[in-house]
């Protein structure tokens, strides 16, 4: 989709017809991304969903200029990020990318200095660097006792938080989280996701949350982008996406547990609203349906 | 950028060379390299080039992949050429200020460069057509006689196969960590030497940690499968020489004969 220039300005990020091939010379090369177009307005909380190998991480690395598109363009604030005079470093401070398993990037002697690494690279003065680090660590819920610990002595979930704080401390306008819950136990997942949501409601920062679990994103996001085989197959609000849960299943994805429960209940005669995506709403809907049963009788 | 290193990277395709017994390829490569250093003259180099071209043709690996390995040694190649060119005493050809290019120097530089190119391409052919596992299998079996001299052949082969297996994994890891740090504003490309060396810390620390973690995991996995060294260990696919392998040996001998004849006669 080709947008006029002013339109693009209002959008935080615009991706136009981007394709990408890893290693075009290799004997088994294929398109990791195939003609991707999308716009990311300011302040939206977006979930990016796709099966393993669908190109999610590849797309995310395009958004802050780590990978250059084989064809197509990406605009940030209306300017082409691959233009020769474009300051990539500036872009990376505006579009923060937290990698899959970000704890593998920790290297400093203590947690606090590790989080300082990002803002320090922005050339800020010491006081500001430390202020931002403190703020970021607080936002992701790392208690102060841990500041002086070696990052390698933390638990998996704590490491993950520290790594997220490391990117947050750069105060990006868009935060991209590539599978922030991968490899965590259910409690750890919940905690991280809740923290992310809190961050979003408090600061209205634009967030892209990559995941391959519908349950992870369904409750939280405003919009879901479904990827399959390097293409975007759906891009809509959650309840509309989950209507196509049969198609999603074919891509190895499926809908959140609530969708299945509600559909089963409806098939068995309970008049519930099947479009609901969150557990709370589902509970309400089921109670309501049960109440109406009680009044009218089966 | 890091993917340019071809050594130790297998190119998957179907060809006679791929199917050869790894011992043939190992012996062949070794003999080929030795042959490069014997009987030097122009005709000899042409024979060596023809043989190499034939093998590359048979291997079905695109030529670009062979040349990729060259990029890694471009610097070495350049130094070799320059040193030979300017520092060999002899009959002067050209004089530029204090530097003189001699006839012998030119001769040495050209042949040295050719030899290095052939050497690298020749060994690339082997690594591109043989999986690391095959390669170490071949080495283990080929070097078995050394056991009598108490050389731990199996252990060395195992270490090599693990090391080879880890090259692409660590490269990928490096790439990932590098990207992650760049995303945090790290700069690996500008600044003076000291600044650049310092910039490597955020890359090297996580890389070492990950390497140790992987080594640990691997050791655990091997123990869990009762690995206890080479004693009494059997192979699922033991190496056996077939007809094509004998033919290949014959070809190698033929090449050596050719090279020697040409080298001595011309
Ligand atoms: N460094 C690389 N070199 C070559 N091919 C790659 C590389 N990284 C990814 N690919 C390929 O690109 C495709 C998309 O990979 P990508 O990592 O973007 O998937 P993903 O959606 O993030 O998957 P996951 O859920 O497993 O993280 C895959 O087919 C993969 O094999
Ligand atoms: Mg991924």
């Amino acid at each position: 989709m080709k947008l006029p220039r002013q339109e693009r300005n209002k959008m935080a990020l615009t991706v136009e017809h981007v394709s990408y091939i890893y290693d075009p010379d290799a004997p088994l090369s294929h398109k990791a991304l195939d003609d991707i177009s999308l716009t990311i307005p300011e302040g939206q909380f977006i979930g990016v969903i796709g099966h393993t190998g669908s190109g999610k991480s590849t797309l995310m690395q395009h958004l802050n200029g780590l990978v250059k598109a084989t064809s197509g363009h990406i605009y940030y604030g209306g300017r082409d990020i691959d233009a020769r005079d474009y300051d990539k470093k500036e872009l990376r401070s505006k579009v923060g990318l937290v990698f899959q398993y970000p704890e593998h990037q920790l290297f400093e002697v203590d947690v606090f200095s590790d989080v300082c690494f990002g803002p320090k690279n922005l050339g800020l003065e010491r006081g500001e660097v430390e202020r931002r680090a403190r703020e970021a660590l607080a936002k992701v819920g790392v208690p102060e006792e841990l500041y002086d610990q070696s990052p390698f002595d933390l638990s998996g979930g704590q490491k993950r938080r520290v790594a997220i704080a490391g990117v947050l401390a750069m105060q990006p306008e868009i935060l991209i989280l590539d599978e922030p819950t991968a490899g965590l136990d259910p409690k750890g997942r919940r905690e991280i996701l809740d923290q992310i949501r809190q961050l979003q409601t408090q600061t209205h920062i634009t967030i892209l949350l990559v995941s391959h679990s519908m349950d992870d994103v369904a409750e939280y996001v405003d919009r879901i982008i479904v990827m399959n085989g390097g293409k975007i197959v759906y891009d809509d609000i959650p309840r509309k996406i989950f209507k196509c849960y049969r198609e999603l299943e074919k891509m190895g994805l499926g809908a959140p547990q609530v969708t299945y429960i509600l559909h089963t209940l409806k098939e068995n005669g309970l008049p519930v609203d099947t479009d609901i995506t969150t557990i709370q709403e589902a509970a309400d809907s089921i109670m309501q349906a049960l109440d109406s049963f009680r009044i009218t009788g089966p | 950028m890091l993917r340019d290193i071809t050594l130790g990277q297998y190119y998957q395709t179907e060809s006679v060379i791929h199917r050869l017994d790894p011992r043939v390829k190992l012996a062949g490569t070794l003999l080929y390299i030795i042959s490069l250093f014997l009987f030097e003259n122009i005709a000899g180099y042409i024979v060596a080039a023809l043989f190499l071209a034939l093998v590359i043709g048979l291997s079905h690996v695109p030529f670009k992949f062979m040349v990729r390995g060259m990029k890694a040694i471009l610097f070495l190649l350049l130094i070799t050429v320059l040193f030979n060119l300017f520092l060999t005493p002899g009959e002067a050809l050209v004089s530029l200020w204090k530097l003189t290019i001699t006839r012998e120097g030119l001769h040495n530089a050209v042949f040295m460069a050719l030899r290095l190119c052939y050497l690298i391409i020749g060994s690339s052919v082997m690594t591109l057509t043989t999986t690391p596992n095959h390669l170490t299998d071949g080495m283990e079996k080929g070097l078995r006689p050394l056991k009598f001299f108490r050389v731990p052949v199996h252990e060395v082969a195992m270490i090599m196969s693990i090391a080879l297996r880890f090259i692409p994994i660590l490269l990928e890891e490096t790439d990932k960590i590098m990207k992650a740090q760049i995303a945090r504003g790290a700069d690996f490309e500008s600044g003076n030497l000291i600044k650049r060396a310092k910039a490597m810390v955020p890359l090297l620390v996580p890389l070492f940690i990950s390497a140790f973690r992987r080594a640990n995991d691997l050791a655990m996995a091997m123990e869990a499968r009762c690995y206890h060294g080479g004693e009494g260990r059997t192979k699922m696919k033991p190496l056996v020489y077939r007809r094509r392998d004998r033919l290949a040996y014959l070809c190698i001998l033929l090449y050596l004969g050719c090279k020697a004849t040409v080298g001595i006669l011309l």
Side-chain angles (χ1 to χ4, degrees):
Chain A
M1 134 186 60
K2 199 96 187 158
L3 291 171
R5 205 182 154 77
Q6 305 95 299
E7 272 300 302
R8 274 203 215 117
N9 269 328
K10 271 186 258 156
M11 303 294 181
L13 252 174
T14 315
V15 177
E16 284 179 3
H17 303 293
V18 163
S19 296
Y20 185 74
I21 303 171
Y22 278 104
D23 231 348
D25 302 332
L28 299 168
S29 75
H30 62 280
K31 279 188 176 174
L33 293 181
D34 191 357
D35 196 25
I36 300 273
S37 295
L38 74 130
T39 54
I40 298 164
E42 271 169 36
Q44 216 172 37
F45 192 174
I46 304 173
V48 181
I49 300 265
H51 194 52
T52 295
S54 55
K56 306 179 297 287
S57 301
T58 309
L59 178 60
M60 296 308 125
Q61 287 171 29
H62 276 78
L63 300 183
N64 73 345
L66 280 175
V67 177
K68 192 179 173 307
T70 309
S71 65
H73 297 275
I74 298 170
Y75 301 91
Y76 179 72
R79 292 183 53 211
D80 189 339
I81 65 166
D82 287 318
R84 200 162 311 150
D85 58 341
Y86 197 91
D87 185 358
K88 283 268 171 74
K89 219 167 163 175
E90 158 108 10
L91 173 74
R92 285 173 196 144
S93 72
K94 294 274 163 56
V95 182
L97 173 58
V98 180
F99 270 74
Q100 223 162 343
Y101 297 105
E103 56 273 25
H104 294 175
Q105 76 194 26
L106 302 175
F107 70 97
E108 276 283 6
V109 284
D110 60 73
V111 165
F112 192 72
S113 352
D114 206 287
V115 177
C116 285
F117 181 65
K120 212 157 66 187
N121 284 329
L122 297 181
L124 301 167
E125 60 178 77
R126 205 191 152 112
E128 174 69 7
V129 168
E130 288 183 1
R131 195 187 62 73
R132 284 191 178 193
R134 248 169 240 293
E135 202 180 297
L137 279 164
K139 271 185 196 158
V140 296
V142 174
E144 257 181 72
E145 303 91 84
L146 298 181
Y147 286 13
D148 296 326
Q149 281 213 19
S150 159
F152 307 111
D153 295 341
L154 304 179
S155 77
Q158 286 168 332
K159 278 188 202 168
R160 185 82 44 104
R161 282 156 200 261
V162 171
I164 295 175
V167 173
L168 262 188
M170 297 171 75
Q171 299 195 341
E173 286 169 9
I174 300 181
L175 179 65
I176 304 172
L177 298 149
D178 196 348
E179 305 212 16
T181 58
L184 295 182
D185 56 34
K187 183 160 165 280
R189 294 168 85 100
R190 265 306 89 172
E191 281 174 3
I192 293 250
L193 288 171
D194 283 336
Q195 213 99 47
I196 294 167
R197 166 153 65 183
Q198 208 178 34
L199 184 76
Q200 213 270 338
T201 43
Q202 278 169 5
T203 59
H204 297 292
I205 179 176
T206 312
I207 295 185
L208 270 89
L209 177 67
V210 178
S211 174
H212 48 228
S213 152
M214 282 291 181
D215 282 295
D216 270 4
V217 296
E219 286 210 31
Y220 299 95
V221 302
D222 309 323
R223 168 182 166 196
I224 292 182
I225 294 170
V226 180
M227 293 189 67
N228 192 31
K231 288 195 174 77
I232 291 181
V233 274
Y234 295 110
D235 180 357
D236 217 324
I237 57 171
R239 52 174 66 214
K240 287 211 176 136
I241 297 270
F242 298 138
K243 276 204 174 132
C244 331
Y245 70 104
R246 297 271 175 236
E247 283 76 23
L248 290 174
E249 273 173 3
K250 281 185 204 135
M251 291 173 223
L253 290 170
Q257 301 287 328
V258 272
T259 309
Y260 288 108
I261 293 173
L262 291 173
H263 274 277
T264 316
L265 286 173
K266 186 147 195 182
E267 274 161 27
N268 287 296
L270 197 67
V272 288
D273 179 4
T274 49
D275 291 350
I276 279 165
T277 56
T278 70
I279 294 174
Q280 191 53 50
E281 282 175 332
D284 290 347
S285 171
I286 292 171
M287 289 312 287
Q288 224 169 20
L290 284 175
D291 280 345
S292 70
F293 249 137
R294 239 172 260 140
I295 295 162
T296 55
Chain B
M1 66 206 114
L2 288 161
R3 293 177 178 276
D4 290 343
I5 304 169
T6 330
L7 272 165
Q9 292 206 343
Y10 178 65
Y11 183 94
Q12 172 96 42
T13 181
E14 185 52 43
S15 83
V16 195
I17 307 285
H18 282 72
R19 264 177 282 140
L20 282 183
D21 189 293
R23 284 171 289 176
V24 181
K25 287 187 260 189
L26 276 166
T29 311
L30 195 68
L31 288 173
Y32 182 75
I33 290 174
I34 293 173
S35 83
L36 289 178
F37 290 86
L38 300 173
F39 319 117
E40 291 172 61
N41 61 16
I42 297 176
Y45 279 101
I46 292 173
V47 174
L50 285 178
F51 182 70
L52 195 57
L54 181 75
V55 176
I56 292 174
L58 285 175
S59 75
H60 293 190
V61 179
F63 188 64
K64 327 189 235 215
F65 280 84
M66 317 271 166
V67 189
R68 270 198 193 180
M70 301 283 301
K71 276 190 208 156
I73 61 140
L74 205 62
F75 189 62
L76 182 72
L77 198 65
L78 211 69
I79 290 192
T80 315
V81 167
L82 288 181
F83 270 60
N84 272 302
L85 206 54
F86 292 114
L87 299 180
T88 318
E91 178 193 340
L93 275 182
V94 196
S95 265
L96 287 167
W97 181 54
K98 274 187 186 164
L99 301 168
T100 27
I101 297 176
T102 60
R103 177 182 288 283
E104 287 79 1
L106 188 65
H107 180 272
N108 278 358
V110 169
F111 282 122
M112 200 55 117
L114 273 178
R115 207 187 274 163
L116 269 175
C117 289
Y118 288 2
L119 198 150
I120 292 294
I121 295 177
S123 28
S124 292
V125 172
M126 180 181 70
T127 50
L128 281 166
T129 59
T130 323
T131 59
N133 273 337
H134 244 113
L135 211 59
T136 41
D137 262 9
M139 222 174 273
E140 189 179 348
K141 194 143 187 197
L143 297 180
R144 195 171 278 174
L146 288 181
K147 262 196 182 159
F148 293 114
F149 304 101
R150 298 189 170 267
V151 179
V153 176
H154 170 78
E155 281 72 16
V156 171
M158 183 55 92
I159 290 170
M160 291 210 36
S161 83
I162 291 173
L164 283 173
R165 180 67 194 81
F166 268 55
I167 290 175
I169 294 179
L170 288 182
L171 281 180
E172 203 166 294
E173 191 90 13
T174 312
D175 197 49
K176 232 185 247 167
I177 297 171
M178 215 162 174
K179 275 184 184 161
Q181 304 299 24
I182 292 174
R184 291 211 279 166
D187 187 353
F188 294 108
E189 267 141 25
S190 59
N192 58 24
L193 211 61
I194 296 170
K195 213 176 146 201
R196 273 199 213 192
K198 263 192 180 162
M200 294 304 274
V201 175
L203 174 65
L204 291 180
V205 174
L207 192 62
F208 270 99
I209 289 170
S210 124
F212 282 124
R213 191 183 54 234
R214 279 178 196 282
N216 211 0
D217 290 353
L218 183 69
M220 205 92 94
M222 284 167 78
E223 293 226 311
R225 292 185 224 170
C226 304
Y227 176 76
H228 55 81
E231 216 53 56
R233 196 173 142 91
T234 53
K235 299 261 179 219
M236 190 157 113
K237 290 180 188 158
L239 294 175
V240 235
Y241 281 128
R242 288 171 206 284
R243 213 169 74 95
R244 57 167 173 267
D245 299 314
R246 299 199 190 95
L247 267 173
Y249 272 127
L250 204 67
C251 287
I252 294 166
L253 285 180
L254 218 66
Y255 156 72
L256 287 177
C258 256
K259 177 112 193 326
T261 326
V262 164
I264 293 165
L265 293 185
L266 299 176

